[in-house]
Amino acid sequence: MQPRVAGRNFLFVPGPTNVPDRVQRAMMVAMEDHRSSKFPELSTSVLHDLKKVFKTESGQAFIFPSSGTGAWEAALTNTLSPGDKILAARFGQFSHLWIDMAQRLGFDVQVVEVEWGEGVPLQRYEEILRADQRHEIKGVLACHNETATGVTSDIAGVRRALNAADHPALLYVDAVSSLASIDFRMDDWQVDLAVSGSQKGLMLPAGLGILAVSEKALGAMAGAKSKRCYFDLADMIKANATGYFPYTPSLPMLYGLRESLNVIFEEGLETIFFRHHYLAEGVRAAITAGWRLKLCAKEPKWYSDTVSAVLVPEGINAGHVIDVAFRRYNLALGAGLARVAGKVFRIGHLGDLNELMLMGAIAGAEMAMQDVGIHVTPGSGVAAASQYWRTHDPVPKKRVSREEQFYESHSTGSIHG
Ligand code: PLP
């Protein structure tokens, strides 16, 4: 069947996410001189305000013209030397890819294999760190939200494990599919390098690799002997100090980022986290109470508020559900990746979303599942989600927390005025 033409495409992959119209409009700009005396107004305001999204005051934010993968590489190569030992857990395609990158860059990665559907194994991490009396482990990697399986890990718990072992290793966190959607606290959790990208909670197209770096990690740069050039933070620090970049930045993306930060601060970070949880609970009600299917995430403590991976019954290829949803109903669902390919389809529920948009995804997934022979009761997912959403508050009772007030009062506001 040919893809449908009329009506809009329903984009429910867990990134890229829907770009709000006002963000899209903010990106429609004539090109400008990125070395003009005016340019630093834009660059310094986005670099400053990004820190609030990471919840860091002492850290520094960086923007690379890359995707999240580039920021992974920047984090590792700027702070480590070849042969350095890293501790990491593999429990999905993205935690796997970061490990793969670290190995290819010449680091010695101690990999803890974890069942897909679970997250960072805190107790195991603590045991390994305690046993490392000589402090040979220089970095600890943690994927905050494993997008392939819909699993969120406890980063505060990783910090507790490091502290319990009195271990000085740097803490590297992949916050690609959690930043600006699930609470992330760089300073509170003493995260040293937090990696993200533009196309998820920041509601932009892909194209910016975003990194926040602690003072401790900045201090590690001098001794880090890994080869780096394009991603060298030293060049970036030098240029950013005067509001410029060491190479040509993407103007439309920076204007888009300015507007997406405005959107984020208008809603408020805490309200955004609350909304993501509320929407995710409705989707999970559709999957488990409505369709009577299972999530790939093994226990509620792992449930992700940005993406749900739905296990299809044995004998069914989840790829068929995704294909029918796309071709017949103009609905883009996320594919199962690597070890869970064919076993799951994913519903992304992050970014610029509300209940009725998600109803489209739930209804479309339900129809596509019926079309490929999965026995779900027609309307059951929609009924379960609506029951949840109708009986729960969509916004926090107390609208603005003290913490949020702090972050909002420190906003530099809009470049567009
Ligand atoms: N880490 C996670 C958790 C992701 O979900 C992704 C992409 O989806 C990446 C890393 C890689 O980011 P990018 O595709 O922006 O390079």
Side-chain angles (χ1 to χ4, degrees), residues 39-40 43-44 237-245:
F39 180 76
S43 55
T44 51
I237 289 168
K238 207 165 140 204
N240 283 175
T242 50
Y244 297 97
F245 286 87

Side-chain angles (χ1 to χ4, degrees), residues 178-324:
S178 58
L179 191 76
S181 327
I182 298 172
D183 196 8
F184 183 82
R185 300 165 180 238
M186 174 137 179
D187 283 0
D188 283 1
W189 303 339
Q190 293 164 268
V191 172
D192 292 299
L193 295 113
V195 172
S196 200
S198 47
Q199 76 276 21
K200 308 225 183 220
L202 293 173
M203 306 173 288
L204 288 160
L208 299 180
I210 291 169
L211 180 63
V213 183
S214 73
E215 284 175 319
K216 179 177 165 189
L218 289 173
M221 280 170 55
K225 301 208 167 35
S226 293
K227 284 209 163 49
R228 49 193 187 262
C229 176
Y230 190 73
F231 289 113
D232 197 331
L233 289 183
D235 296 336
M236 201 53 114
I237 289 168
K238 207 165 140 204
N240 283 175
T242 50
Y244 297 97
F245 286 87
Y247 29 61
T248 319
S250 166
L251 250 296
M253 286 296 285
L254 292 179
Y255 276 113
L257 177 59
R258 179 60 269 164
E259 191 63 4
S260 87
L261 290 167
N262 295 342
V263 171
I264 286 169
F265 297 136
E266 274 169 39
E267 185 176 0
L269 273 178
E270 307 311 314
T271 309
I272 289 173
F273 303 145
F274 189 96
R275 171 170 59 82
H276 278 76
H277 179 69
Y278 158 83
L279 291 175
E281 286 282 285
V283 174
R284 288 191 283 265
I287 295 164
T288 57
W291 301 333
R292 310 237 165 244
L293 293 175
K294 286 199 164 71
L295 288 155
C296 183
K298 298 232 179 288
E299 285 177 60
K301 70 170 179 179
W302 303 122
Y303 287 173
S304 163
D305 284 343
T306 57
V307 52
S308 293
V310 185
L311 285 162
V312 298
E314 289 276 334
I316 301 276
N317 180 352
H320 290 160
V321 180
I322 294 163
D323 202 43
V324 169

Side-chain angles (χ1 to χ4, degrees), residues 19-36:
V19 177
D21 291 347
R22 58 185 271 203
V23 173
Q24 208 135 30
R25 282 195 299 274
M27 287 190 290
M28 290 178 64
V29 288
M31 289 307 109
E32 289 171 24
D33 177 11
H34 60 286
R35 302 194 195 284
S36 76

Side-chain angles (χ1 to χ4, degrees), residues 164-186:
D166 201 14
H167 202 293
L170 294 173
L171 174 56
Y172 299 71
V173 177
D174 175 338
V176 174
S177 58
S178 58
L179 191 76
S181 327
I182 298 172
D183 196 8
F184 183 82
R185 300 165 180 238
M186 174 137 179

Side-chain angles (χ1 to χ4, degrees), residues 2 5 17 28 36 38 50 65 82 87 101 113 142-143 192 196 216 225 261 317 336-337 352 372 375 401 415:
Q2 293 298 310
V5 175
T17 62
M28 290 178 64
S36 76
K38 185 170 175 289
L50 264 180
L87 173 63
M101 170 188 275
E113 299 291 350
C143 182
D192 292 299
S196 200
K216 179 177 165 189
K225 301 208 167 35
L261 290 167
N317 180 352
L337 302 173
D352 185 34
V372 305
H375 300 295
S401 69
I415 275 287

Side-chain angles (χ1 to χ4, degrees), residues 335-356:
L337 302 173
R339 202 180 291 178
V340 289
K343 295 185 181 152
V344 304
F345 68 84
R346 293 175 298 152
I347 302 175
H349 32 83
L350 73 161
D352 185 34
L353 285 179
N354 60 23
E355 300 93 328
L356 294 190

